[in-house]
Amino acid sequence: DLFAPQEKIFQMKAEKGVKVKYEHGGNDYLIVSEFTRLNQVLINFLSNAVKFTQSGSICYGYKLTYSGLYVYVTDTGVGIEEKSRASIFERFVKLDSFKQGTGLGLSICKMIVTKLNGEIGVKSELGKGSTFWFTFPCTPVKVPEDEKPS
């Protein structure tokens, strides 16, 4: 499972006491897509979650849907005000000028997901956390029993 290694990497980057957990979406399907680009989006979501989560948890994973794959990162961080959610994926938008970054990460994520004919979004509540997600269309292929990873 190619998203699994991120769990250890981001656990080391997270604040002490913040639990990073990978929620496995199943490994008996093969999906052919732009893994490097999808991983780039996931890493950006995880980096932001680590940056804005001081306590609690960061959970991430994927689920197969009727139209493809749904990938998400949910945190118990600071959350995002409703008025700011509409512009969060625009270029140079930074909600906290004291945090490192240029404000380009989420706009690049949106561009990548859009080029893959997917959708991107955020659900958030101020003071309670956020879920950043993206979907992209694909047709998963069932991996034969004798070829499944152990």
Side-chain angles (χ1 to χ4, degrees), residues 6-125:
Q6 303 306 342
E7 183 175 22
K8 287 181 182 170
I9 293 167
F10 282 92
Q11 184 62 66
M12 289 188 294
K13 294 180 179 189
E15 290 284 332
K16 186 176 180 176
V18 173
K19 176 70 176 155
V20 177
K21 176 151 177 41
Y22 173 56
E23 298 174 331
H24 196 278
N27 65 349
D28 57 352
Y29 288 92
L30 176 65
I31 298 168
V32 178
S33 187
E34 293 280 341
F35 175 74
T36 302
R37 295 293 171 223
L38 297 174
N39 200 40
Q40 183 179 355
V41 176
L42 176 68
I43 287 171
N44 187 276
F45 285 0
L46 286 167
S47 295
N48 285 343
V50 164
K51 204 183 296 186
F52 294 102
T53 304
Q54 303 300 312
S55 63
S57 63
I58 299 167
C59 298
Y60 75 100
Y62 66 92
K63 298 175 186 173
L64 290 174
T65 67
Y66 66 92
S67 62
L69 204 64
Y70 170 82
V71 180
Y72 62 92
V73 174
T74 300
D75 65 57
T76 58
V78 297
I80 303 166
E81 289 182 277
E82 187 174 353
K83 67 180 183 178
S84 299
R85 281 183 234 138
S87 64
I88 195 78
F89 293 102
E90 293 176 14
R91 292 174 57 171
F92 304 113
V93 170
K94 286 184 67 170
L95 300 182
D96 184 341
S97 60
F98 295 104
K99 296 288 185 182
Q100 185 177 354
T102 60
L104 284 172
L106 290 174
S107 67
I108 292 169
C109 290
K110 182 177 181 179
M111 181 186 70
I112 290 168
V113 171
T114 300
K115 286 204 180 271
L116 293 172
N117 297 314
E119 295 180 21
I120 192 168
V122 61
K123 294 181 281 187
S124 187
E125 190 173 340

Side-chain angles (χ1 to χ4, degrees), residues 133-150:
W133 58 269
F134 68 90
T135 61
F136 72 97
C138 62
T139 306
V141 177
K142 189 86 167 155
V143 176
E145 283 296 321
D146 60 339
E147 294 180 27
K148 285 185 184 179
S150 50

